[in-house]
């Protein structure tokens, strides 16, 4: 299993080289458990196997496609028994059935906490109404700060129109709450503002540096 993951990430060595690499990964502690694999995939250093969210999603899609192409053998049915029904083929859901959005898989655990921290930092950066809003939401100016970070370079009027569209697509109103902000940063479609974990960390660092500067504290 680890060899398959290594090959996906670019490992090209022979069996002997892989044996050495695997021993280094195990570190004398037996087969890697979930925590060890997670640590490897999040490690940007030379000893890590860093893999971005997009690479992980692509690998899962490739493995799912490979598994679906291997049809299981038909079940053996004893004489006199009715064979079980054939399961429906994989594909788009029938009309009227709403499929779960793929970005839900990205919205849990450490990433959800990271998104929340960016959301809170944006609220604090706005001061005034956004920071004092007990319900927790981002107004037009706070969302523009995030939009600029993700590449928006339009005028005030252009952003005002864009923000109205964002609000309309998220239930109306004149602000964006944490739930809708999470949906936006996890949505890699045309209506989303997808951000990888590294981009979110960079955004959080920049907001923190700005906050320290405004408070008169040199970044540490």
């Amino acid at each position: 299993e680890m060899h398959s993951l290594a090959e996906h990430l670019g490992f090209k060595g022979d069996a002997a080289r892989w044996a050495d690499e695997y021993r280094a990964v195990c570190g004398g502690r037996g087969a890697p458990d979930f925590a060890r694999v997670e640590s490897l995939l999040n490690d940007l250093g030379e000893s890590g196997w860093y893999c971005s969210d997009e690479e992980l999603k692509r690998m899962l899609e490739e493995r799912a496609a490979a598994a679906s192409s291997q049809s299981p053998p038909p079940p053996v049915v004893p004489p006199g028994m009715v064979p079980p029904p054939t399961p429906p083929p994989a594909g788009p859901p029938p009309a009227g059935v709403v499929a779960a959005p793929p970005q839900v898989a990205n919205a849990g655990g450490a990433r959800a906490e990271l998104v929340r921290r960016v959301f809170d930092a944006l609220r604090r950066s706005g001061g005034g109404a956004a920071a004092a809003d007990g319900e927790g939401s981002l107004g037009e100016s706070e969302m523009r700060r995030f939009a600029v970070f993700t590449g928006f370079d339009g005028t005030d009027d252009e952003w005002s129109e864009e923000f109205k569209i964002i609000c309309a697509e998220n239930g109306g109103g004149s602000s964006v709450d944490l739930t809708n902000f999470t949906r936006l940063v996890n949505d890699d479609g045309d209506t989303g503002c997808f951000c990888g974990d590294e981009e979110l960390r960079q955004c959080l660092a920049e907001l923190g540096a700005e906050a320290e500067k405004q408070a008169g504290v040199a970044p540490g």
Side-chain angles (χ1 to χ4, degrees):
E1 295 83 2
M2 290 296 288
H3 189 203
S4 175
L5 174 60
E7 286 183 326
H8 180 84
L9 297 176
F11 178 80
K12 302 294 185 183
D14 57 17
R17 184 179 172 190
W18 168 244
D20 291 339
E21 179 71 17
Y22 184 70
R23 281 194 292 271
V25 169
C26 294
R29 294 172 295 199
D33 58 10
F34 175 81
R36 175 59 175 153
V37 174
E38 182 180 30
S39 175
L40 281 170
L41 296 179
N42 285 320
D43 187 349
L44 291 167
E46 295 182 358
S47 61
W49 293 9
Y50 180 76
C51 199
S52 67
D53 287 356
E54 288 303 310
E55 290 174 312
L56 290 172
K57 287 194 293 185
R58 184 165 59 250
M59 181 172 64
L60 286 174
E61 290 167 358
E62 290 175 359
R63 292 182 70 88
S68 64
S69 65
Q70 300 175 357
S71 302
V76 178
V77 181
M81 292 189 65
V82 178
T86 302
V97 177
V98 179
Q103 61 269 22
V104 169
N106 291 333
R111 179 173 171 83
E113 175 62 16
L114 181 58
V115 171
R116 185 195 63 77
R117 290 175 63 194
V118 172
F119 177 85
D120 288 344
L122 286 167
R123 287 185 63 215
R124 290 192 298 269
S125 74
D133 181 3
E135 295 298 321
S137 61
L138 302 176
E140 183 174 332
S141 63
E142 293 77 40
M143 281 298 294
R144 181 170 185 176
R145 291 173 65 83
F146 182 73
V148 169
F149 179 83
T150 58
F152 178 81
D153 59 359
T155 65
D156 291 347
D157 290 341
E158 288 172 337
W159 170 246
S160 183
E161 290 301 316
E162 182 69 21
F163 184 69
K164 289 176 183 177
I165 294 173
I166 291 174
C167 290
E169 290 174 344
N170 289 279
S174 58
S175 61
V176 176
D177 62 13
L178 176 58
T179 298
N180 286 320
F181 182 76
T182 301
R183 186 194 65 78
L184 283 168
V185 300
N186 287 325
D187 185 353
D188 56 3
D190 293 338
T191 60
C193 300
F194 181 81
C195 266
D197 288 358
E198 287 305 310
E199 293 174 300
L200 289 171
R201 292 189 188 100
Q202 184 180 350
C203 180
L204 187 61
E206 291 184 7
L207 289 168
E210 289 180 8
E212 290 179 344
K213 184 177 180 180
Q214 291 174 359
V217 178

